[in-house]
Amino acid sequence: MKKPAWLVPIALVLVISMIVVGCPPDGVEPEPELTVYTLWTPEAELEAFNAVLAEFEQQSGIQVTHTPVDTDTMLVTFPTAFAAGTTPADVVLAPFPAWIVGLSDHLLPVDALLNKAEFAAVHLSPVTSAGQLYGIPFKMAGKPGFWYKPSFFATHDLTPPDTYAEFVDLLAALDDIPTLEAAIASGNGVGWPLSDQTEGFIIGLGGYQLQLDLIEGTVAWTDEAVRVDVFGPLVELLEAGYFSVPAEWGAQVEQLDNEVYGMMWMGDWIVGMVEDPEDIAFFPFPQTDGVVGAIDYAIIPAYTDWPDEAQQLVSFLATREAQEIWAGLGGYLAPNTAVPLDIYPVAAQSVAEFMLTVTVVPDLDDTIGGAFQITFWDQLKLLWVAPGQVDDVLEEIQQEAP
Amino acid sequence: MRRLIFILPALTLVALIVVFPAVETVRGGLWSWDGLEMTEFAGFENYAELFGSRSFINPARFPTRIPPWGALVHNLVWVVVFIPLTALLGLFLAVLFREVKGGSMLKSMIFLGMVVPLVVGGMMIRFMFDGRAGIVNALLRTVGLDSLARTWTAYPDTALPSVILGSVWIWTGFAMIIYSAGLELIPKDLYESASVDGASTWRTFRRITIPMVKPATLIVVIMNLIYVLRIFDIVYVATRGGPGGASTVLALQGYFYAFQYHEFGMASAVFTFLTIMAAAISVFLVRRVR
């Protein structure tokens, strides 16, 4: 059937009119509703953070929608949205200081939203740019050392080591247990489990200052202090077959639980992942003087429709009151130093107590970020299966280092 | 005029969704960037940096040492290995199932690989080649090749072959369906004449089937070529281009430049180069077949 052409402009006018009519009339302010993006998809983390938000909603009367996303979604979505002058979230919690600083032109400063005396300077400096703070530390993930099952160690008459020599002896003893596939489970996936493990060796064998120097770029990855003192022993252990071939880290935690491996380097969140949280403990890298505390920072995109409300939420998240809620539920360390130790459940308390005895340093690859992080992760995957290529690996890493 | 009015919405959409981003990408590759902003015209600086980088071509390792050989070389390995394998396997299966009872059902089962999202395909490849639970390693152990049984995606010498072979398994269904359609178009009397003349099965296949499915082959080759040049999802999920860049490809490199390194000029250069290369090879192939 032939339709007259003049119908098209009329249809367009009708559609535009419907859109205009659908908009709220002038003078009626919509209720503020904040959207928060986080990376906390595991159920325990999701529920714990929702408990914090519920408290904020009750106190402020502002409604908050929590949207957990995966790492890639977060890393890709925000730079592109910012380029278009928009944001899908009013507040974002992200553990990537370099990414935050790189996007600081599109974020609101948060200096006035926290009591700086309650936070360690080492946790604020990575998100400070041109003298202004762009993120408040909300959650700290401690990466204290090797996690093992005390019951398994007891069965095989093994004890956590105090020295590096004892550590190597322990690996040999684990290697002799025929039911084990490898002494140490190596996590894979995105790449951070291997970098966390390597940072453990850097701090444990080279000292926390070496970690800071590598972040600053004042020491090269090809220097003797790194190549010989840190990667030398690591390569020896890799060549001895004490580490498993890298596999999906979640599955590796399960295999640790199933006693396929003897131990695994992991953050404190492992406690919430194992069958029996009472039967999991850690020992730090022998004689280490430092530990990585990776922070999730709350940031506010400048394009939020609700800047005042978003600032209100971020200000709340910085308080002892907000951080105590999750600390009490477990699986969390509070960067706010006013949070008392006795509020933590037992497993988290031991991590928190250990972290008070050594120097807490930032996560190396999260702090540097960008091409370095991707290269670091990828080259470590190579090192784990081809330790003989250590010199090439370190050269590649150095190419992207600060 | 009336025609123009009706075509205008479609043209507007194409201009907004295809033409504008494409022009911006080409432009982005020619400019320096500061974060998310284009700052100054840089000519071919981004391209010079790209072509000079070891992650693009690694002459120190290719072809004498194991990967990484650079993303461009890896893409070309995909072209050389993946396209012939899928085409031959697809043609073989199409011919086989034409003759077999219940062939349609078998074809549907093989075609299922095509409807699997590529991200899921990447996960499947990881599990297929897993050292402990993978079916490939189970088969190798069954036939006594225990020395080859390991997590293929974790090693630099096997990561690239594992993602290519896994993709062949996923993508063969496409070639098979195209060839099946092509085979249906071959007049039956050609085969009858060949049979009367006493031609063998192989001779009939070589002299009748292969020439008659030439248009289908062209479609398979061009579609697969476009697929392998823009391959991303499977590699991203299965290996993330590793270990040590041993399985990285151009699209993945472009993605890392854009969204991990925030080097949008380099990312634009990669994608512009990729588009030009795919277009040039496709045009060449189409003209050659004509």
Side-chain angles (χ1 to χ4, degrees), chain A residues 67 127 129 132 145 251 375:
Chain A
T67 308
V127 285
S129 178
Q132 284 194 303
T375 305

Side-chain angles (χ1 to χ4, degrees), chain A residues 356-378:
Chain A
L356 286 176
T357 65
V358 289
T359 304
V360 178
V361 291
D363 187 280
L364 188 143
D365 52 284
D366 283 345
T367 307
I368 300 172
F372 172 83
Q373 186 169 44
I374 299 296
T375 305
F376 188 46
W377 287 349
D378 195 34

Side-chain angles (χ1 to χ4, degrees), chain A residues 2 5 72 75-76 79-80 83 99 106 181 245 248 252 255 261 370-371 374 378-379 382 385 392 396 399, chain B residues 2 5-6 36 54 61 65-66 126 132 151 154-156 236 239-240 242-245 255-256 259-262:
Chain A
K2 206 171 178 182
D72 290 320
L75 291 177
V76 171
T80 42
W99 183 76
H106 307 272
E181 258 183 36
V245 171
E248 190 62 37
Q252 295 292 74
Q255 297 301 344
Y261 303 115
I374 299 296
D378 195 34
Q379 290 298 321
L382 177 61
V385 295
D392 291 345
E396 287 291 333
Q399 291 254 328
Chain B
R2 197 200 295 176
I5 290 173
F6 280 105
L36 302 170
R54 277 188 295 187
R61 298 189 71 94
R65 296 172 68 190
I66 59 166
R126 252 165 62 183
R132 195 186 303 129
T151 303
Y155 290 86
Y236 180 74
T239 64
R240 284 194 174 242
Y255 168 82
F256 281 145
F259 299 113
Q260 304 280 345
Y261 313 168
H262 298 144

Side-chain angles (χ1 to χ4, degrees), chain B residues 6 40 54 61 102 105 116 152 159 169 179 200-201 227 282:
Chain B
F6 280 105
E40 60 183 42
R54 277 188 295 187
R61 298 189 71 94
M105 199 183 72
V116 171
W152 283 42
W169 169 69
Y179 277 124
S200 66
T201 309
Y227 168 74
S282 300

Side-chain angles (χ1 to χ4, degrees), chain A residues 122-209:
Chain A
V122 71
H123 295 151
L124 298 179
S125 57
V127 285
T128 301
S129 178
Q132 284 194 303
L133 186 69
Y134 287 96
I136 68 108
F138 174 66
K139 179 180 186 279
M140 179 160 66
K143 301 174 181 180
F146 291 98
W147 293 84
Y148 64 97
K149 290 178 77 172
S151 62
F152 179 80
F153 268 41
T155 306
H156 296 279
D157 202 21
L158 302 168
T159 48
D162 290 324
T163 63
Y164 188 74
E166 285 177 22
F167 173 64
V168 177
D169 290 343
L170 172 65
L171 293 178
L174 287 167
D175 200 42
D176 286 341
I177 298 173
T179 53
L180 287 187
E181 258 183 36
I184 305 173
S186 304
N188 197 351
V190 178
W192 57 261
L194 295 186
S195 67
D196 283 359
Q197 166 82 90
T198 306
E199 287 173 52
F201 274 77
I202 291 170
I203 300 167
L205 294 171
Y208 77 88
Q209 188 58 45

